[in-house]
Amino acid sequence: MFARISQSTPQPLRSPYQPARWLAFLPLAGLLAACGNSASTINERAPRVGSAETLYNNGVDALRSDRYLLSVNQFDTLQRNYPYSQYTANAQLMEGYANYLLNKYPEAVQQLDRFLELHPTSSDAAYAFYLRALCYYEQVADVQRDQQGTIEAMDALEEVITRFPQSPYARDAQLKIDLCRDHLAGKEMLVGRYYQQQNDFPAAAGRYQRVVQDFQTTNHVPEALERLVEVYLDMGLLEQARKTGSVLAYNYPSSKWYEDAYDHLRAHHLIKGVDGKDHKQGRNVFQRAWHSVF
């Protein structure tokens, strides 16, 4: 999904696995099927308060027919009027899902938190945690904006994996965590390039170093290393630039970013021992350079 971020404006986070709406619907499918055809079609105006069973079935019927606002109304009415009903727990969960489908993520999270607080050992707890994490994930902002939401999404997704590592939601949660990490790395690169353009080389170096140190598995590392070569040269830190070039040559010898770094180092007569075709220094160069630079 995340190709290397170039100097052009980064795009908002879009996952090829997103939003796993079919996965989010799995537990609800059983709940919907359990109701059979007992729900009658109702008017979309606010109805009179019926029995808990009637409200529940009406909410299910509305959810099946994509009338999500009506579904929320029915489940909410059930909870307010029948807080101890056998249908209340499912109504809480399904109201959270209906709000999710309406893109009302704060409302969905509030409902799911209520469900998890009251029913922590429920067989649907894994699904509730996953759906809650999706609500945060869907709110991840463009890299040009504050990324607190991305951090919250990662925390919620990691909770799914920690609590339910064998659940069908854990793998999808891990994929989304990887995308969030790539997103955060993209933010660091965006800020680093800005500082570099403003000739604030120490600040730029700090951002690029964070990408290399904290986001080593993302696609942004080769560019971060090349940018570090540039800013080290601009700062007159020639040995740092040479060692960073060694790291880049060892790990990404076929990268366009290595080619750019090679040209910069050659122009400063620092090319000895950096050429990607000459690995005489091998792994020892990589290990020494990595730890001495970072």
Side-chain angles (χ1 to χ4, degrees):
M1 148 63 194
F2 280 103
R4 183 187 302 110
I5 288 187
S6 65
Q7 298 187 39
S8 58
T9 301
Q11 297 300 310
L13 179 65
R14 291 292 185 271
S15 164
Y17 316 96
Q18 178 187 359
R21 300 263 177 172
W22 63 271
L23 189 58
F25 188 74
L26 284 178
L28 295 179
L31 297 176
L32 293 171
C35 298
N37 296 318
S38 60
S40 59
T41 302
I42 65 171
N43 192 299
E44 295 213 14
R45 295 179 180 176
R48 292 182 302 173
V49 176
S51 67
E53 181 179 6
T54 297
L55 290 168
Y56 180 74
N57 287 337
N58 287 343
V60 169
D61 183 66
L63 190 59
R64 279 175 168 168
S65 56
D66 301 333
R67 294 175 294 165
Y68 305 133
L69 283 173
L70 179 59
S71 179
V72 167
N73 174 273
Q74 295 295 288
F75 293 133
D76 183 66
T77 301
L78 189 160
Q79 292 178 65
R80 286 187 286 104
N81 288 274
Y82 304 98
Y84 305 109
S85 166
Q86 61 179 323
Y87 298 97
T88 301
N90 283 350
Q92 291 169 347
L93 190 59
M94 296 178 79
E95 182 178 341
Y97 181 64
N99 275 314
Y100 168 74
L101 294 176
L102 286 167
N103 300 328
K104 293 185 174 182
Y105 303 122
E107 292 85 346
V109 168
Q110 182 180 32
Q111 193 67 221
L112 293 166
D113 283 343
R114 181 181 300 125
F115 172 83
L116 290 168
E117 180 181 357
L118 296 174
H119 313 284
T121 61
S122 168
S123 60
D124 291 317
Y127 166 71
F129 273 104
Y130 173 73
L131 182 56
R132 180 178 179 275
L134 282 186
C135 290
Y136 286 109
Y137 182 79
E138 299 283 5
Q139 299 179 81
V140 169
D142 183 273
V143 294
Q144 298 186 56
R145 302 175 61 184
D146 179 77
Q147 292 302 301
Q148 181 59 36
T150 306
I151 295 173
E152 292 176 351
M154 286 181 60
D155 290 343
L157 290 163
E158 287 172 352
E159 190 169 15
V160 173
I161 296 173
T162 300
R163 289 176 177 270
F164 310 100
Q166 303 304 317
S167 74
Y169 312 109
R171 181 176 180 275
D172 188 68
Q174 184 59 62
L175 290 171
K176 287 178 168 57
I177 287 174
D178 293 341
L179 291 169
C180 286
R181 289 178 57 80
D182 202 271
H183 203 61
L184 291 175
K187 175 67 173 184
E188 294 297 317
M189 293 301 299
L190 182 72
V191 177
R193 286 193 295 265
Y194 170 79
Y195 283 137
Q196 187 176 0
Q197 291 167 359
Q198 301 300 312
N199 296 325
D200 188 349
F201 302 124
R207 296 291 179 159
Y208 298 144
Q209 286 171 355
R210 181 164 186 243
V211 172
V212 175
Q213 291 175 320
D214 297 343
F215 303 103
Q216 295 181 18
T217 60
T218 70
N219 294 326
H220 299 281
V221 173
E223 182 187 355
L225 289 168
E226 192 280 331
R227 301 288 184 186
L228 277 170
V229 170
E230 293 181 12
V231 297
Y232 285 149
L233 291 174
D234 288 329
M235 295 166 67
L237 302 175
L238 303 186
E239 184 62 15
Q240 293 284 76
R242 187 192 68 78
K243 290 180 178 180
T244 303
S246 296
V247 175
L248 182 55
Y250 186 89
N251 288 274
Y252 309 99
S254 301
S255 168
K256 72 176 282 299
W257 298 109
Y258 166 67
E259 296 175 4
D260 292 345
Y262 182 94
D263 291 339
H264 291 308
L265 292 165
R266 183 173 57 184
H268 286 76
H269 309 290
L270 298 170
I271 202 62
K272 183 178 180 181
V274 178
D275 191 343
K277 298 182 177 62
D278 180 9
H279 291 290
K280 292 181 180 179
Q281 299 182 56
R283 184 172 296 274
N284 290 333
V285 168
F286 162 69
Q287 292 174 339
R288 290 198 306 272
W290 185 272
H291 293 297
S292 63
V293 175
F294 308 112

